[in-house]
C-alpha cells in the first residue's frame, strides 16, 4: 500500500521568511496530492492540492511542486506570517483513501 | 454553504462500552470518509462510504463499523471500546460523482476519550 514520509517534523522560521515542507510517496499510481493545515482544536483544512498531470501550482503565498519521477512533492510558503503557525499534513491518494504524512509543526517567530 | 458537521464534539466512555459518532456532509456531497487521528499513529483512514455502500476500508479491526444513509449522512460505531481507541475521529466529505481524486473537506472532529 501507499506510504508517505514527511519532513521535517518541526520547523521554525522568522516571520517574513520562507518555509518548505517535503513529502515522498511510495505508490507510483497515486495521482492526487493535497496539503492540509490543522490548527489547534480544528479539523484539517485544505490549503492547496495538485494532481499528477501538473508539476507546479501556486495560490498567492503558497505553492506546491510535484516530481513524479522521484515521487516527491513539496509545499512552499513565502512571506510567512504569524497566522501560518499550525501543523501541516501532506497526503497522497489514487482513490478516495488519503494516506497522510506524519505532519510538520510550523512555528513562525515574530 | 455549511461545512461538514460532526456530533458530538466530545465524548467520554469507559472500556467495553460502544459509541456512535455522526457526520453530516456538505450539502450535495455524496462521499463520506472517516479518519482516526492520534499523536502516535497520526491520521489513519478508517473507511469511505458512497451511495450507502462502503467503497474503501482501512486496516482497522471489525469493532469499527459505519454506515451511510440515503441523505448521505454517515455514522460510525466502535464496539467494545479499548483505551487505545481514544482519538480524534474526523469525517470528510467530497462530491465524488464518478470516483477518483476529489477534494475532501474535513469536519471539526469528535474527540473520544476512553477511560
Amino acid at each position: 500500500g501507499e506510504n508517505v514520509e514527511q519532513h521535517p517534523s518541526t520547523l521554525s522560521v522568522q516571520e517574513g521568511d520562507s518555509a518548505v515542507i517535503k513529502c515522498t510517496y511510495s505508490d507510483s499510481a497515486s495521482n492526487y496530492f493535497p496539503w492540509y493545515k490543522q490548527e489547534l482544536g480544528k479539523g484539517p483544512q485544505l490549503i492547496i492540492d495538485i494532481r499528477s498531470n501538473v508539476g507546479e501550482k501556486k495560490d498567492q503565498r503558497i505553492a506546491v511542486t510535484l516530481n513524479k519521477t522521484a515521487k516527491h512533492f513539496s509545499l512552499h510558503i513565502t512571506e510567512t506570517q504569524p497566522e501560518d503557525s499550525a501543523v501541516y499534513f501532506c497526503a497522497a491518494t489514487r482513490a478516495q483513501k488519503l494516506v497522510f504524512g506524519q505532519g510538520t509543526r510550523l512555528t513562525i517567530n515574530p | 454553504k455549511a461545512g461538514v458537521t460532526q456530533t458530538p464534539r466530545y465524548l467520554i466512555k469507559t472500556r467495553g462500552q460502544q459509541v456512535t459518532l455522526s457526520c453530516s456532509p456538505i450539502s450535495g456531497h455524496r462521499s463520506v470518509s472517516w479518519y482516526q487521528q492520534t499523536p502516535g499513529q497520526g491520521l489513519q483512514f478508517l473507511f469511505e462510504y458512497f451511495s450507502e455502500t462502503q467503497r474503501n476500508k482501512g486496516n482497522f479491526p471489525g469493532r469499527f463499523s459505519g454506515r451511510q444513509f440515503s441523505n448521505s449522512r454517515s455514522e460510525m460505531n466502535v464496539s467494545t471500546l479499548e483505551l487505545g481507541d481514544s482519538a480524534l475521529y474526523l469525517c470528510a466529505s467530497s462530491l465524488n460523482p464518478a470516483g477518483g481524486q476529489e477534494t475532501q473537506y474535513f469536519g471539526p472532529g469528535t474527540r473520544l476519550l476512553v477511560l
Side-chain angles (χ1 to χ4, degrees), chain B residues 30-47:
Chain B
R30 296 170 62 190
S31 169
V32 173
S33 298
W34 289 88
Y35 295 83
Q36 181 195 65
Q37 185 175 26
T38 59
Q41 298 299 315
L43 279 153
Q44 292 186 291
F45 173 79
L46 281 157
F47 29 66

Side-chain angles (χ1 to χ4, degrees), chain A residues 53-84:
Chain A
N53 57 348
V54 176
E56 184 174 356
K57 184 177 178 180
K58 189 174 181 180
D59 182 6
Q60 299 184 339
R61 296 186 299 109
I62 296 173
V64 58
T65 58
L66 171 65
N67 183 325
K68 284 182 61 181
T69 303
K71 287 191 281 187
H72 67 69
F73 56 113
S74 301
L75 176 71
H76 304 252
I77 305 174
T78 59
E79 300 173 8
T80 53
Q81 301 169 2
E83 54 266 35
D84 294 329

Side-chain angles (χ1 to χ4, degrees), chain A residues 29-34 36 38-46 49-52 57 87 89-91 93-103, chain B residues 9-10 31 33 35 37 39-45 48 55-59 88 90 93-94 96 99-109 111:
Chain A
S30 289
N31 53 15
Y32 175 62
F33 307 90
Y36 287 88
Q38 188 173 27
E39 297 174 311
L40 199 61
K42 297 183 179 180
Q45 177 190 6
L46 180 79
D49 57 10
I50 192 167
R51 300 180 193 278
S52 58
K57 184 177 178 180
V87 179
F89 293 95
C90 64
T93 184
R94 59 182 175 95
Q96 278 299 97
K97 175 182 173 180
L98 286 173
V99 177
F100 286 88
Q102 286 298 100
Chain B
R9 292 293 311 279
Y10 304 92
S31 169
S33 298
Y35 295 83
Q37 185 175 26
Q41 298 299 315
L43 279 153
Q44 292 186 291
F45 173 79
E48 183 234 351
R55 190 162 58 176
N56 281 301
K57 188 177 189 304
N59 298 323
L88 180 67
L90 292 157
S93 76
S94 68
N96 207 280
Q101 318 84 41
E102 290 289 335
T103 302
Q104 294 188 32
Y105 298 91
F106 283 82
R111 185 162 296 282

Side-chain angles (χ1 to χ4, degrees), chain B:
Chain B
K1 198 181 266 191
V4 178
T5 58
Q6 293 186 245
T7 56
R9 292 293 311 279
Y10 304 92
L11 208 49
I12 300 175
K13 293 286 187 178
T14 56
R15 278 180 300 174
Q17 287 186 310
Q18 75 166 17
V19 66
T20 299
L21 313 181
S22 181
C23 171
S24 292
I26 293 171
S27 178
H29 285 196
R30 296 170 62 190
S31 169
V32 173
S33 298
W34 289 88
Y35 295 83
Q36 181 195 65
Q37 185 175 26
T38 59
Q41 298 299 315
L43 279 153
Q44 292 186 291
F45 173 79
L46 281 157
F47 29 66
E48 183 234 351
Y49 286 86
F50 179 76
S51 290
E52 302 178 64
T53 301
Q54 187 181 88
R55 190 162 58 176
N56 281 301
K57 188 177 189 304
N59 298 323
F60 279 81
R63 299 186 297 106
F64 292 81
S65 62
R67 60 177 176 169
Q68 186 181 34
F69 302 95
S70 58
N71 61 358
S72 295
R73 191 177 70 84
S74 176
E75 289 181 347
M76 68 163 281
N77 183 278
V78 188
S79 62
T80 320
L81 284 166
E82 300 177 359
L83 296 179
D85 296 333
S86 295
L88 180 67
Y89 290 89
L90 292 157
C91 167
S93 76
S94 68
L95 276 170
N96 207 280
Q101 318 84 41
E102 290 289 335
T103 302
Q104 294 188 32
Y105 298 91
F106 283 82
T110 293
R111 185 162 296 282
L112 171 65
L113 177 62
V114 182
L115 301 175

